[in-house]
Amino acid sequence: MLLMLCCTFAVQASAQDILEEVRNIMDGYEKTKNDTSKDLELRKIATFKWDAIYYMILQASDRENMTEGELGAQVNAMIEFVNQFLADMKDTKKAKMKEVTLAKYRAASLKNPLWGDTDKDGAHAYVDHPNFLTQFSLDTDWVKALASVKE
């Protein structure tokens, strides 16, 4: 799915194509999050990704300051950010180092807001939620946050 999204952007797809691909990605996450036969953690991760995309779409439509291409880049970066985080957590064996990894990614998310949303209850719904591994702000410039964790 991520490869399809990248290819879509690489060929300078039309705005409608980008929006359609974002909707398809959301549909995939919605199916995963609602599939009770799937592992609970996988469903929670899909829930976060769905919520993050939905949040981006809402913010972009409310403020009308984001092009479809920028939305696509943010969605792509968010997916890569979360997937890289999960890979780093999987590679980390010690509990203390897992805490450090989580703190690094959480900080990258919090230090790179995209919209400066004043509704912190909504934007930070996952930040300190102990039942979710993805404790990131929904109000994140995912392109910048991804770059900061790759440094």
Side-chain angles (χ1 to χ4, degrees), residues 22-40:
V22 168
R23 285 188 200 104
N24 289 338
I25 291 169
M26 282 185 75
D27 288 345
Y29 291 137
E30 185 167 26
K31 287 176 186 167
T32 300
K33 75 180 193 161
N34 293 326
D35 186 348
T36 57
S37 70
K38 302 267 187 202
D39 175 70
L40 182 58

Side-chain angles (χ1 to χ4, degrees), residues 130-145:
N131 293 330
F132 280 84
L133 184 59
T134 49
Q135 296 179 9
F136 313 127
S137 173
L138 296 176
D139 181 11
T140 296
D141 183 328
W142 296 104
V143 172
K144 289 181 181 177

Side-chain angles (χ1 to χ4, degrees), residues 97-128:
M97 290 309 295
K98 285 186 184 290
E99 290 176 26
V100 170
T101 299
L102 175 58
K104 171 185 168 183
Y105 279 82
R106 184 182 323 162
S109 171
L110 290 168
K111 289 179 182 177
N112 292 290
L114 185 57
W115 291 283
D117 193 345
T118 57
D119 176 15
K120 297 303 180 201
D121 288 340
H124 293 175
Y126 287 90
V127 172
D128 291 316

Side-chain angles (χ1 to χ4, degrees), residues 36-109:
T36 57
S37 70
K38 302 267 187 202
D39 175 70
L40 182 58
E41 277 308 310
L42 180 65
R43 293 174 56 214
K44 287 180 180 181
I45 293 163
T47 298
F48 174 82
K49 288 178 178 179
W50 190 94
D51 285 349
I53 296 169
Y54 184 75
Y55 178 86
M56 283 186 255
I57 291 169
L58 282 179
Q59 291 297 322
S61 67
D62 284 350
R63 299 166 200 261
E64 298 178 5
N65 63 347
M66 178 179 273
T67 68
E68 289 81 1
E70 291 167 331
L71 174 65
Q74 288 292 326
V75 169
N76 189 31
M78 181 274 298
I79 292 167
E80 188 175 344
F81 181 92
V82 173
N83 290 347
Q84 184 63 52
F85 166 72
L86 295 171
D88 287 353
M89 289 295 278
K90 184 178 179 184
D91 291 344
T92 304
K93 303 299 178 206
K94 296 182 179 181
K96 185 67 175 166
M97 290 309 295
K98 285 186 184 290
E99 290 176 26
V100 170
T101 299
L102 175 58
K104 171 185 168 183
Y105 279 82
R106 184 182 323 162
S109 171

